Amino acid sequence: MPDGGIGAPTKRREDTRFLTGRGKYTDDITPQNTSYCAFARSQVANGKINSIDTSQATKMPGVLAAFTGEDFVEVGSNPAGWLINSRDGEPMKEPKRPVLAHGKVRHVGDAYAAVVAETLEQAMDAVEAIEADIDELDAVVDMASAVADPGTLVHDEIETNICFDWGWIEDNRAATDEAIKNAPHVTTLELVNNRLVPNALEPRASIGEYDPGTGDYKLTTTSQNPHLSRLLVSAFVLGIPENKLTVLAPDVGGGFGSKIYHYGEEALVLAAAKKLGRPVKWTATRTESFLSDAHGRDHVTKIELACEKDGSFIAFRTETLANVGAYLSNFSTATPTFLHGTLMAGNYTVPNVYVNVKAVFTNTAPVDAYRGAGRPEATFSLERVIDKCARELGIDPVEIRRKNFIKKDQYPFATAAGLEYDSGDYDALMDGLEKVADFAGFEARRAASAKEGKLRGLGINSYVEACGIAPSNLVGILGARVGLYDAATVRVNPTGNISVMVGAHSHGQGHETAFPQIVADMLGVDAQTVDIVHGDTSKIPFGMGTYGSRSLAVCGSAVFRATEKVIRKATLIAAHMLEDSPENIEFSDGVFAIKGTNKTVGFGDVALKAYIPHDYPIDAIEPGLEETAFYDPANFTYPSGAYASEVEVDPETGKVTVCSMVALDDFGVVVNPMIVTGQVEGGLAQGIGQALLENGVYDENGQLLSGSFMDYAMPRADDLPSFVVDHSNETRCTHNPIGSKGCGEAGAIGSPPTIVNAVVDALARGGHDVDHIDMPVSPSRVWAAMNP
Amino acid sequence: MPKITMNINGRDMSAEVENRTLLATMLREKLHLKGTHVGCDTSQCGACVVHVNGKAVKSCTIFASELDGATVDTIEGQANTDGSLNVIQQAFQDHHGLQCGFCTPGMVMSAAALLKDNPKPSEAEVREYLEGNICRCTGYQGIVNAIMAASGQDVPSVAAE
Ligand code: FES
Ligand code: FES
């Protein structure tokens, strides 16, 4: 293997431009003659639009055009990507999601008009001059009341606030109920998975362009998956043929889910560009991001764990209300269902699982996948109720988990929640955790904290999650409206350097560095001679972008398959050059050789021959050396981990300090350990943020109270400890060619229950009988729990 | 509109700006220095940090029109004269102190200001100094390690040579 192959902690090549101010994010791009767009957004959570008068606004200096919902009544709706059926077989309710609100505004921040002007300042001034006559109506905010008393409806036409009432697995319901009824012990826990605002640091931005000469459109946008945006704009919303629309996602400043989806602003800048014959650019302010980006989580759950007196699990049953906000964002229906309910067996051999999820419309921003998407919610519910159960039964939290773990010789393991885990070794992770987190030294550290007047607690967690959602023929049966493969083209250029066009998109994950490591490893070439092309639908094959920790497991596998095809063809060419039959040719470290001889030809010479086929069997082998592979995985991948954290609680104030955070993960084969470590660390920060700081809060009128960085507490450097991250416990994924499982979301999945378990442990050791504290575990909540 | 001249990264640069134009806007929109980023509208994120007369400043909080004659340093002027990464930039690459890169210009400029005042900060001092810079990607670990390493302190390396 040359330097820089699979397993090398190669420095990131993309860093050079980011560190010198030469990144190119959407807002950095200003095509010639650009005009600027600003949106008028609803100040009320629920309102009937009587009229919107833009006549004054259009007379303002520099204003080129104004748009309202009226201008888009003819165009299509932005759809949900997954059709969920309710328990009774009825399809989910799917209200229209227009480009601009029409008839009603449904959440604070819902855009109802837009202005395009010569300058951004002029556009913003003109928005102020729009006269909107909107009658404020009662808002639906609280999920329980939205369900119990549907007097106020988010969407009048669907006559309910329940999008769907889903059971998983419905056929297991009766057996699970029965098992719980007869169980010797049942632990029940009601909990909230707090609403989060993704807050990628780069706000969303979009530039629409239209060329009247060719009829071609171009959308430059902050997207995690440009082909999805193109598909939705083309086939659903504006009807622009795909061959007339290029979607470009240049450098993107973080996504965490919020930039997976197609948003109305993208359609608007395209329509405006067509109308004006000029580029139209919009960049969100942070305030607009808070109000209009898809939020995450927001579940209210009751979970029951039934077990034997010795802690052997018999059943998990959950009832969840999942907020979907005012409109169905593209993945919003898959997130609380197939990305959540299917994981409710956790790492355990539990025989009965039943999950009920009611998705609820409210007058709040849409809620969709945010880092982890459904799996953090599953893990949090499970790992919290398990801790509570262990406490009730007087069993050590490590012991109760080990007792129920799927053992390493049980794979492939079919869980009671309908998945088949292919590999893992949860005991090995727990063994490692006990050492790395130094459980043995905890008591001494606790005593030291106690001397300082602090309560110290130790929390642990084990998780398993599912990445690279697949395969297409199964998810199709389950309601997915798209395929979930990915694609790559490996183009070997005549002089032997390589361009790889991928469907995945990097917005921080380092694909430009990691994907070449795969190709370099397989071809025996220097990784520096391999470049990645991504984010441009006119150049890359149709792929599904980057989310759900899928890029390496799915798109990386496509890169692997395409590279295999390149090797197969190159072997034919090499056989011709070496005047032997292909069966006698072997390839390693960049050299083709006749087996058992020293007759060889290098990969570079073969590449050149492919493009200069003078002496070449054209009738048997086509010229050129370029191959494409579409890879549709056979199964999800199942990363897992064991986490531990120690916290100190100040009994005077209730403030929680995270003293340590140890994450042991099994990601299967790791391609670039430096990047993987960074992914885990970022996830840990977001998970600790959820556990201690972050909270998306609406008041009863549907006003977002935490609508800026002043009110929404983002984790800062001094809120976090140094992390200990270890991913040396590898069990290969058995069904993809690289053996990788995915690492992007793990930290955000494993850490929230770890932290809350640690806080509850600290309080228990301090003599406080506290079962649970909802996240964020803020000083006031902790103090209130200690002083009931 | 008044014409404002500043010495930016060692060169005099001028632009006509409205009174309400922020320094960040002037740098990005008038002078095409897009390396300075804007991540918020409440002066909370630090993506826009530059140096004005040698001090770290959030360029979204200050009007360009008040800075006639000032000396301004931005991310574009940080690399060594031969174009190679300076010590801080190199440390960020070596310690994986960036992912999406959006907070990075502000982080590098803040780090430079910190190390100027405090050449050997403790980890706690680094974390506290970065209180005004949000990174949503890295969990700060790589950033803190990079700044410690740039100040000559021993930090375990994560990247290959
Ligand atoms: S843009 Fe200046 S602090 Fe956020
Ligand atoms: S690297 Fe993305 S915000 Fe810091």
Side-chain angles (χ1 to χ4, degrees):
Chain A
M1 182 188 84
D3 290 349
I6 291 173
T10 309
K11 286 179 201 174
R12 297 200 328 167
R13 55 180 77 176
E14 43 274 81
D15 291 356
T16 310
R17 66 176 187 275
F18 296 141
L19 282 162
T20 52
R22 292 196 182 84
K24 217 177 226 345
Y25 302 87
T26 298
D27 187 59
D28 300 342
I29 297 165
T30 308
Q32 209 173 18
N33 213 18
T34 290
S35 58
Y36 294 83
C37 179
F39 286 85
R41 295 182 185 276
S42 179
Q43 318 236 344
V44 299
N46 192 12
K48 181 172 173 298
I49 300 175
N50 297 320
S51 66
I52 295 169
D53 181 356
T54 59
S55 58
Q56 287 309 311
T58 47
K59 289 189 199 119
M60 302 269 291
V63 172
L64 301 167
F67 300 84
T68 68
E70 284 292 327
D71 296 305
F72 295 94
V73 283
E74 298 298 320
V75 311
S77 174
N78 182 5
W82 204 300
L83 171 71
I84 301 296
N85 289 321
S86 286
R87 300 195 293 122
D88 59 6
E90 279 294 301
M92 69 185 191
K93 308 288 188 207
E94 189 173 6
K96 190 167 189 256
R97 187 177 185 199
V99 174
L100 288 172
H102 186 248
K104 266 177 109 179
V105 285
R106 294 189 172 85
H107 65 91
V108 171
D110 201 1
Y112 58 78
V115 176
V116 182
E118 293 289 347
T119 71
L120 177 59
E121 289 77 9
Q122 289 169 335
M124 289 167 73
D125 289 345
V127 161
E128 300 293 316
I130 292 173
E131 283 172 30
D133 176 6
I134 297 174
D135 283 341
E136 182 168 5
L137 306 170
D138 285 345
V140 180
V141 180
D142 172 60
M143 283 194 282
S145 17
V147 171
D149 166 29
T152 307
L153 293 169
V154 179
H155 295 274
D156 302 312
E157 67 279 14
I158 59 174
E159 295 172 353
T160 170
N161 289 320
I162 300 177
C163 176
F164 56 76
D165 175 358
W166 180 77
W168 187 257
I169 296 172
E170 198 55 25
D171 288 348
N172 296 351
R173 182 187 175 101
T176 306
D177 289 350
E178 194 61 21
I180 290 175
K181 203 166 87 199
N182 299 327
H185 183 86
V186 178
T187 300
T188 305
L189 186 61
E190 294 186 27
L191 49 84
V192 172
N193 207 290
N194 43 327
R195 187 181 186 109
L196 302 176
V197 184
N199 277 323
L201 201 56
E202 177 204 26
R204 284 191 297 121
S206 302
I207 305 165
E209 292 174 76
Y210 177 70
D211 182 340
T214 59
D216 289 340
Y217 291 81
K218 183 156 107 183
L219 173 66
T220 306
T221 191
T222 49
S223 176
Q224 297 178 218
N225 51 357
H227 267 299
L228 182 80
S229 289
R230 193 185 71 165
L231 180 68
L232 293 173
V233 170
S234 293
F236 292 90
V237 181
L238 295 181
I240 301 168
E242 281 139 296
N243 57 336
K244 299 308 253 177
L245 173 61
T246 295
V247 177
L248 281 170
D251 287 330
V252 173
F256 315 111
S258 66
K259 294 173 182 168
I260 298 173
Y261 327 114
H262 166 58
Y263 291 88
E265 292 90 350
E266 294 174 328
L268 190 122
V269 295
L270 283 169
K274 165 94 189 287
K275 177 166 177 175
L276 297 171
R278 292 177 61 168
V280 176
K281 177 168 167 176
W282 165 75
T283 302
T285 61
R286 178 58 54 186
T287 301
E288 285 183 289
S289 304
F290 269 102
L291 296 176
S292 69
D293 288 3
H295 294 179
R297 315 281 191 264
D298 207 348
H299 284 194
V300 175
T301 293
K302 176 178 167 197
I303 181 162
E304 290 156 290
L305 160 52
C307 62
E308 306 288 353
K309 291 279 181 217
D310 71 353
S312 302
F313 299 162
I314 299 169
F316 288 110
R317 180 170 65 191
T318 58
E319 281 170 39
T320 289
L321 295 180
N323 203 334
V324 288
Y327 301 101
L328 293 182
S329 176
N330 302 141
F331 283 21
S332 61
T333 54
T335 300
T337 53
F338 290 104
L339 295 175
H340 164 245
T342 53
L343 271 303
M344 286 307 293
N347 310 50
Y348 310 107
T349 55
V350 56
N352 300 288
V353 173
Y354 178 74
V355 180
N356 174 234
V357 178
K358 293 187 183 71
V360 184
F361 290 110
T362 57
N363 291 116
T364 65
V367 180
D368 205 329
Y370 165 69
R371 201 171 199 163
R375 292 149 289 164
E377 294 90 320
T379 299
F380 187 75
S381 301
L382 287 170
E383 297 296 314
R384 280 298 301 125
V385 80
I386 291 170
D387 247 42
K388 184 177 179 206
C389 176
R391 211 167 284 287
E392 287 171 355
L393 295 175
I395 304 177
D396 179 79
V398 172
E399 248 7 86
I400 196 167
R401 288 173 170 87
R402 283 189 187 275
K403 184 181 252 322
N404 293 282
F405 274 163
I406 299 162
K407 301 291 172 199
K408 79 167 184 239
D409 56 4
Q410 288 179 287
Y411 295 97
F413 185 86
T415 76
L419 295 178
E420 186 177 281
Y421 299 167
D422 64 333
S423 65
D425 189 348
Y426 310 144
D427 277 301
L429 287 162
M430 196 56 86
D431 293 343
L433 187 72
E434 292 194 26
K435 289 194 200 81
V436 179
D438 183 28
F439 287 4
F442 172 74
E443 193 43 45
R445 292 187 293 275
R446 192 196 62 76
S449 295
K451 274 214 182 84
E452 308 285 319
K454 301 283 165 52
L455 305 177
R456 196 177 185 103
L458 168 64
I460 62 145
N461 173 52
S462 32
Y463 79 87
V464 58
E465 60 139 338
C467 301
I469 180 170
S472 292
N473 52 13
L474 173 65
V475 297
I477 294 167
L478 298 178
R481 289 164 166 167
V482 289
L484 292 164
Y485 48 83
D486 218 292
T489 298
V490 175
R491 176 181 298 158
V492 184
N493 296 312
T495 61
N497 54 53
I498 296 165
S499 308
V500 184
M501 281 60 79
V502 293
H505 181 272
S506 183
H507 34 282
Q509 296 86 347
H511 295 175
E512 291 167 54
T513 301
F515 283 161
Q517 293 181 238
I518 301 167
V519 178
D521 198 84
M522 295 174 71
L523 294 180
V525 300
D526 182 348
Q528 293 301 326
T529 66
V530 185
D531 261 311
I532 295 299
V533 178
H534 63 176
D536 180 343
T537 59
S538 68
K539 293 182 181 156
I540 61 172
F542 190 98
M544 293 309 295
T546 289
Y547 54 84
S549 309
R550 71 190 297 278
S551 295
L552 182 62
V554 187
C555 191
S557 294
V559 170
F560 191 101
R561 292 280 188 241
T563 308
E564 281 181 334
K565 290 187 186 178
V566 163
I567 294 171
R568 277 205 289 280
K569 181 167 180 187
T571 303
L572 298 180
I573 301 170
H576 166 72
M577 293 169 79
L578 293 169
E579 298 176 333
D580 206 325
S581 67
E583 302 78 60
N584 292 338
I585 305 295
E586 61 189 4
F587 178 62
S588 76
D589 283 340
V591 177
F592 294 91
I594 300 176
K595 284 179 196 157
T597 74
N598 57 2
K599 278 189 75 183
T600 63
V601 57
F603 182 76
D605 293 328
V606 173
L608 192 64
K609 178 67 73 182
Y611 287 94
I612 308 183
H614 293 162
D615 154 31
Y616 195 90
I618 299 270
D619 46 347
I621 317 173
E622 287 175 19
L625 194 50
E626 169 170 331
E627 298 288 344
T628 294
F630 281 75
Y631 179 79
D632 201 88
N635 190 356
F636 286 96
T637 61
Y638 299 100
S640 58
Y643 286 18
S645 175
E646 291 182 22
V647 302
E648 270 185 355
V649 177
D650 182 342
E652 300 289 313
T653 62
K655 184 174 164 35
V656 175
T657 303
V658 182
C659 307
S660 68
M661 185 78 219
V662 180
L664 267 70
D665 296 282
D666 172 6
F667 296 134
V669 173
V670 167
V671 170
N672 184 318
M674 177 193 81
I675 289 175
V676 168
T677 297
Q679 289 294 305
V680 176
E681 290 168 349
L684 292 175
Q686 287 181 346
I688 295 172
Q690 168 166 30
L692 294 182
L693 300 164
E694 300 180 36
N695 206 12
V697 185
Y698 284 90
D699 72 10
E700 69 278 9
N701 300 317
Q703 295 292 332
L704 182 62
L705 298 178
S706 49
S708 80
F709 286 148
M710 320 260 257
D711 315 294
Y712 184 92
M714 296 279 280
R716 313 260 176 167
D718 57 358
D719 294 316
L720 301 168
S722 259
F723 305 127
V724 178
V725 172
D726 178 323
H727 31 79
S728 59
N729 287 277
E730 291 183 9
T731 63
R732 275 187 80 94
C733 167
T734 60
H735 57 79
N736 71 35
I738 303 173
S740 294
K741 299 183 178 182
C743 67
E745 296 159 297
I749 295 169
S751 55
T754 311
I755 296 286
V756 179
N757 288 348
V759 172
V760 172
D761 183 63
L763 297 187
R765 290 173 195 271
H768 300 277
D769 183 21
V770 175
D771 281 340
H772 177 68
I773 304 176
D774 272 325
M775 301 186 290
V777 180
S778 59
S780 59
R781 286 182 176 177
V782 175
W783 197 88
M786 294 169 73
N787 299 278
Chain B
M1 284 194 284
K3 184 170 168 189
I4 302 296
T5 302
M6 299 174 202
N7 184 287
I8 301 177
N9 301 327
R11 268 179 56 204
D12 282 346
M13 299 177 117
S14 304
E16 290 185 356
V17 297
E18 291 180 46
N19 282 337
R20 63 174 165 175
T21 303
L22 300 166
L23 174 59
T25 312
M26 172 170 157
L27 291 170
R28 287 183 56 79
E29 303 304 329
K30 303 277 177 179
L31 303 175
H32 307 291
L33 293 168
K34 305 279 191 178
T36 298
H37 294 159
V38 175
C40 75
D41 42 16
T42 53
S43 307
Q44 289 280 313
C45 77
C48 64
V49 169
V50 299
H51 297 178
V52 174
N53 298 327
K55 292 255 177 289
V57 167
K58 287 179 171 168
S59 62
C60 72
T61 61
I62 182 166
F63 292 117
S65 57
E66 289 168 7
L67 294 176
D68 199 29
T71 298
V72 174
D73 294 294
T74 72
I75 189 69
E76 286 89 349
Q78 294 298 296
N80 298 324
T81 42
D82 66 355
S84 60
L85 300 180
N86 75 11
V87 171
I88 295 173
Q89 291 168 319
Q90 189 58 57
F92 268 68
Q93 186 185 35
D94 294 348
H95 293 275
H96 197 24
L98 63 154
Q99 290 181 21
C100 81
F102 200 80
C103 71
T104 307
M107 286 289 179
V108 170
M109 298 309 289
S110 285
L114 166 65
L115 295 185
K116 204 165 125 205
D117 291 347
N118 183 356
K120 281 235 181 317
S122 67
E123 181 184 327
E125 286 173 328
V126 173
R127 287 184 180 272
E128 197 188 317
Y129 190 88
L130 293 182
E131 224 266 332
N133 290 77
I134 294 176
C135 175
R136 192 52 152 169
C137 297
T138 62
Y140 303 97
Q141 182 93 52
I143 294 171
V144 172
N145 288 349
I147 297 173
M148 302 288 284
S151 70
Q153 306 185 64
D154 225 7
V155 190
S157 169
V158 287
E161 267 326 297

